[in-house]
Amino acid sequence: METSIFKRILAGAFLLLPGVFFSIQFSCQGPQKKSGDRPHGTFSISGAFALYPLTVKWVEEFRKDYPDIQVDVSAGGAGKGMADVLANMVDLGMFSREVTPAELEKGAWYIAVAKDAVVPTLNSANPFKEQLLSKGLSRERGFYFGEEGGILNAIIGSIYLSLGATFLAFIIVGPLPCT
Amino acid sequence: MNVYLVKHHSLVNAIRFVFDVLWGVPSIVYGAFGFILMVFLGVRASLLAGIITVSLFIVPIMVRAIDESLKSVPRGLLESALSLGSTRSEISYRIFSREAFQGIITAILLSFGRAIGDAASVLFTTGYTDRIPTSLMEPSATLPLSIFFQLSSPIEAVQDRAYASATVLISMVLVISLLSRFIGNRRN
């Protein structure tokens, strides 16, 4: 694998500001003051893989000050983070792309917490290598292979896979119970 | 297990126990095992890798289901056939297989139903793509993973596709279950 020449261009052009989205409300188990003194409760965070390592570190530090507050962190991608937080499934969503107006309309609120650069790398055996190197890659003129379509690909893929697996399993061990 | 090894009860019981244990192993473990194999062999996520992993996953189901249908074949049939001079392979493939044919078809359909609906075993091995695969070495989309990935999207149109995938998957599993039930009832 070799790092492409786009590294220099894109490290600047694709600077993203990963944001953390706070849901409108804390969950019913959110931080509360104990009858005694220390706050306790739980809250959950899910979202971008890019922010996961940082968040884990922050949570570790947070626990030192608030040992009675349990924080659950899970990574599932920025899309999942947004979907979860808008559906009130988690308290915080980790997000690593720009917010769309539709998401803002739904009540998403964010703050930027880190900077992140996307650095495309190119396999030296990539069949499109020459094409990529000659044309370059930019945010406006990116490469997109394949077409996002319906679910026909998944239906056909599932049938291929299941038929193949069933056939293979039957060929291999089908006669065993008959022996 | 039902013809050649019929007198070796302890061995047959041990084989059945092993397959029962394998049946109970979660499919994600098969997926992880398939992934380790792929890394070891230097194979990328592809339809072939998925087929091999899923076939490992459904082997215990298929073996135990066929075994159960063969167990229902009367023992007297085996003894009669042996007394008439039939070889054990003739008994296996001409008598027992025919007697339990519908049970075998039901077992195959049950295995197919499990294979089509499992997400964990294909998560690491089959990959995901928007294209219809044209060869075994290409990655392939599957309905369970389509639901998993598309439902995570915040875009409603993409989420709708996940619901459509779920509807198609449920319909397919329902048809397979009804078909295997129908065949099973005919056998009875």
Side-chain angles (χ1 to χ4, degrees), chain A residues 1 49 75-84 86-87 95 97 100 102-103 106 123 125-128 144-179, chain B residues 1-6 15 19 44 47 50-52 54-55 58-59 62-63 66-67 70 92-93 97 104 108 111-112 115-117 122 126 128-133 140-144 146 150-154 156 158-159 161-162 164-165 168-169 172:
Chain A
M1 184 106 57
F49 289 99
K80 182 162 169 49
M82 177 55 90
D84 282 352
L86 288 180
F95 205 54
R97 62 167 167 80
T100 64
E103 289 161 349
K106 286 181 180 175
N123 193 307
N126 190 315
F128 296 98
Y144 182 60
F145 306 109
E147 193 175 330
E148 193 178 9
I151 59 167
L152 186 66
N153 57 329
I155 296 172
I156 293 176
S158 278
I159 291 172
Y160 281 170
L161 182 89
S162 310
L163 280 177
T166 310
F167 179 74
L168 186 63
F170 185 70
I171 293 293
I172 295 170
V173 293
L176 179 64
C178 299
T179 55
Chain B
M1 285 164 70
N2 290 283
V3 180
Y4 283 91
L5 304 175
V6 73
I15 294 171
F19 278 113
R44 288 187 177 187
L47 191 59
I51 285 173
I52 292 170
V54 173
S55 66
I58 62 170
V59 153
M62 188 179 283
V63 168
I66 294 175
D67 183 42
L70 286 168
S92 289
Y93 297 109
S97 299
I104 292 170
I108 291 170
S111 308
F112 183 81
I116 204 166
V122 293
T126 313
Y128 194 83
T129 176
D130 290 323
R131 294 178 182 180
I132 294 170
S140 169
T142 53
L143 284 168
S146 169
Q150 292 177 340
L151 205 56
S152 305
S153 170
E156 274 183 27
V158 180
Q159 286 183 350
R161 268 183 236 145
S165 299
V168 170
L169 185 59
M172 289 172 89

Side-chain angles (χ1 to χ4, degrees), chain A residues 60-78:
Chain A
E60 279 175 14
E61 293 301 316
F62 182 80
R63 276 184 188 141
K64 289 176 186 169
D65 294 334
Y66 301 97
D68 293 332
I69 296 180
Q70 186 186 325
V71 186
D72 302 319
V73 189
S74 66

Side-chain angles (χ1 to χ4, degrees), chain B residues 22 60 67-68 72 77 100:
Chain B
L22 288 175
D67 183 42
E68 285 302 318
S72 65
L77 209 57

